[in-house]
Amino acid sequence: MRKVLSVASECAPLVKTGGLADVAGALPSALAAEGWHMRTLLPGYPAVMKALKRVTEVWHDADLMGGPARVLAGKTRGLDMLVLDAPHLFDRPGSIYLGPDGLDWPDNPERFAALSRVAAEIAVDGAAGWKPEVLHLHDWQAALVPVYLRALGATGEVATLLTVHNIAFHGLAPAEKLEALNLPEWGFTHEGFEYYGKINALKAGLVYADMLSTVSPTYARELMRPQFGMGLDGVLRARAADLVGILNGIDETVWNPETDKEIAGYRTPKRKAANTLALAEEFDLPPGDGPLAVVVSRLTEQKGLDLLLEALPAYCGRGGRLALLGSGDKALETAWLEAARDYPNVGVRIGYDEALSHRMIGGGDAIVIPSRFEPCGLTQLYGLRYGTVPVVALTGGLADTVINANDAALSAGVATGIQFYPVTAQELTGAMTRLCDLFAQRKVWSRMQRKAMKQHVGWGASAPRYAALYEKIGSVE
Ligand code: ADP
């Protein structure tokens, strides 16, 4: 087997705040089938340290950004892990990125620079007798690796692929931290990782990694436009030839409507009904003929759920029902709790609840994802697999994975969902109304559901594409 080291700040099922964790957790087994042995380097957060079994120390440093650190090799939940045990950086309660004040930990630059630095060192050293050909880096937290490799004089020894899961997070640090982060002066230029006078970790990766990828073909194109590039579109345009979009897959054993323990299992959409009834009851929603739409999401500006609030009068007026599970921005949480009070057809749970998310996707007739931007999105893929028709904004991975129910697609029998654009309250209201219309046409609706359930949403297509990229940049003897 050829060797690839994946470097990430989160990895399901050990530690997760978003889709990045799902991808990092799913890649190892998907790539094994392609002949690549993937190990994953992860920070030693408390949850990770607790889960790790039978570890061996493969690397240590008396002073890594202000404290002792070591890398432990071990296995857990089928994952082959390398864990950076550095208590001064990672042994903290609560969120992995935010302090108790809800703001980024002030030393986040040091924490993830340490992760990147160690990734570069153990790759070059071949710690534990294991030397990867390729480093697969995820987001800004791992994006300084190519700079450290250069600083170690090891360019060419290990190839690097940086995957952008979300361009919104740059990993900025003040210029004064150059030395503390062990970064070379030569890189602190406009052509390097300098960004308006600051250090920009993501830019470092975008400039110096051998290859770049992102998590859908449409997002790859969008990233090169000012509207979506969040200030880095120019950097990406300069590297257009090295940027590819590879869709995320989902874990088809975890998300399988036939075997899902949280629901009454089903193989055809007809058998969903029991789950829909149970879900309406769980959310205290009245019975009705309208669709039961669900939302499972972080509550942030990106996800466009403020727009959905504006669509409620029209949607509920048509008999539509809605169950939302999410957490995040306090203002959005409050607004949604108020909506649940104002509209009997709306039920809301604030929090993070994996089991409930399965019951919602199992029981919902439709899943709504009105994102302003969406690199790939996973919940529409769960929706497709469960015959829970996605209603989505036409952007990023949502554009690539859903076939809009326009007249042509409906008559050809290929429609799998509803798309709207531009991402405004007005267009979303139109989409929710269309949902009610299509739902009322039982034959048309069940045809869409069946088509959705047949779509391939696993890693079958994408794992070989990653393998081909590794192959292209790896050191073929
Ligand atoms: P993002 O990474 O931007 O949050 P994705 O759609 O790529 O969006 O991934 C989100 C993942 O997190 C999905 O697996 C989704 O089911 C899960 N998720 C989001 N919010 C919640 C929640 N409140 N409870 C349970 N799971 C959630």
Side-chain angles (χ1 to χ4, degrees):
M1 294 266 268
R2 299 175 70 176
K3 302 185 185 78
V4 51
L5 177 63
S6 167
V7 186
S9 56
E10 44 186 286
C11 181
L14 299 176
V15 51
K16 164 169 165 173
T17 73
L20 160 62
D22 292 304
V23 177
L27 278 176
S29 61
L31 265 306
E34 304 299 319
W36 285 85
H37 175 202
M38 178 179 275
R39 283 180 137 180
T40 308
L41 175 68
L42 202 64
Y45 312 114
V48 175
M49 296 305 292
K50 219 170 110 196
L52 214 57
K53 302 262 155 49
R54 285 194 295 281
V55 292
T56 47
E57 183 180 310
V58 296
W59 180 94
H60 70 267
D61 187 348
D63 181 15
L64 177 72
M65 313 259 168
R70 54 192 187 144
V71 172
L72 304 172
K75 294 209 163 126
T76 178
R77 313 247 208 143
L79 294 166
D80 195 350
M81 304 295 304
L82 294 173
V83 171
L84 175 56
D85 178 25
H88 65 295
L89 300 173
F90 301 119
D91 186 11
R92 300 174 189 181
S95 154
I96 57 175
Y97 304 126
L98 312 176
D101 53 4
L103 302 173
D104 285 351
W105 293 108
D107 63 345
N108 271 353
E110 284 85 349
R111 297 171 77 217
F112 297 104
L115 179 74
S116 300
R117 171 89 197 173
V118 169
E121 285 195 24
I122 60 175
V124 174
D125 288 356
W130 195 86
K131 187 162 176 157
E133 277 177 61
V134 175
L135 284 164
H136 188 164
L137 315 170
H138 301 278
D139 273 352
W140 75 266
Q141 291 90 344
L144 287 171
V145 171
V147 176
Y148 290 127
L149 282 174
R150 276 176 191 235
L152 290 168
T155 326
E157 265 190 62
V158 200
T160 48
L161 165 67
L162 173 67
T163 298
V164 177
H165 297 264
N166 193 331
I167 197 95
F169 305 107
H170 290 186
L172 294 178
E176 298 75 59
K177 288 207 177 188
L178 263 183
E179 207 182 316
L181 300 181
N182 224 323
L183 286 169
E185 285 279 350
W186 52 254
F188 194 67
T189 65
H190 183 65
E191 291 69 36
F193 51 76
E194 184 266 344
Y195 184 79
Y196 297 100
K198 291 191 172 157
I199 298 162
N200 183 320
L202 185 62
K203 188 182 174 209
L206 296 178
V207 171
Y208 295 112
D210 295 313
M211 260 322 269
L212 307 174
S213 76
T214 187
V215 290
S216 68
T218 295
Y219 195 56
R221 287 191 298 275
E222 286 174 345
L223 281 179
M224 290 186 269
R225 293 170 31 204
Q227 187 194 343
F228 292 98
M230 307 257 177
L232 292 172
D233 45 291
V235 180
L236 281 154
R237 280 196 299 279
R239 296 216 56 193
D242 302 321
L243 172 65
V244 297
I246 302 179
L247 274 177
N248 288 334
I250 62 170
D251 185 329
E252 291 176 301
T253 53
V254 175
W255 292 97
N256 180 345
E258 277 184 67
T259 56
D260 194 324
K261 293 280 175 288
E262 284 299 324
I263 60 171
Y266 59 90
R267 248 174 50 177
T268 58
K270 237 196 226 152
R271 311 293 289 266
K272 265 174 83 80
N275 296 303
T276 311
L277 282 176
L279 184 65
E281 205 164 295
E282 184 165 4
F283 275 81
D284 234 346
L285 299 173
D289 295 333
L292 171 49
V294 298
V295 173
V296 177
S297 182
R298 291 185 293 119
L299 298 180
T300 64
E301 152 93 11
Q302 173 194 343
K303 300 294 180 178
L305 294 164
D306 50 320
L307 306 175
L308 188 55
L309 285 167
E310 292 184 53
L312 289 179
Y315 176 63
C316 295
R318 287 284 309 268
R321 298 173 294 162
L322 184 95
L324 174 138
L325 165 66
S327 62
D329 286 357
K330 294 296 162 231
L332 273 173
E333 291 183 354
T334 309
W336 273 100
L337 287 169
E338 272 169 18
R341 271 200 304 273
D342 294 347
Y343 298 91
N345 280 12
V346 175
V348 170
R349 296 279 182 285
I350 298 301
Y352 189 94
D353 189 335
E354 199 96 25
L356 176 58
S357 75
H358 279 254
R359 294 196 293 280
M360 293 176 71
I361 285 156
D365 294 306
I367 181 159
V368 190
I369 311 159
S371 305
R372 292 186 165 91
F373 68 95
E374 194 58 77
C376 178
L378 293 173
T379 56
Q380 85 279 15
L381 302 178
Y382 306 153
L384 290 167
R385 186 115 206 268
Y386 280 64
T388 308
V389 172
V391 179
V392 303
L394 184 70
T395 187
L398 301 172
D400 292 331
T401 55
V402 174
I403 299 175
N404 185 32
N406 56 29
D407 291 344
L410 282 174
S411 58
V414 295
T416 57
I418 297 169
Q419 289 173 323
F420 65 94
Y421 188 84
V423 190
T424 60
Q426 193 183 348
E427 293 301 323
L428 175 55
T429 304
M432 297 306 284
T433 308
R434 185 149 173 77
L435 162 62
C436 296
D437 291 342
L438 289 169
F439 184 74
Q441 304 168 46
R442 302 307 305 177
K443 263 202 175 134
V444 174
W445 185 257
S446 81
R447 197 172 182 201
M448 270 172 77
Q449 286 181 303
R450 276 181 279 126
K451 190 73 195 169
M453 290 178 81
K454 285 204 186 106
Q455 187 163 321
H456 295 291
V457 289
W459 282 96
S462 295
R465 297 201 61 203
Y466 276 117
L469 271 191
Y470 299 163
E471 185 93 27
K472 183 171 162 188
I473 59 175
S475 53
V476 194
E477 299 301 330

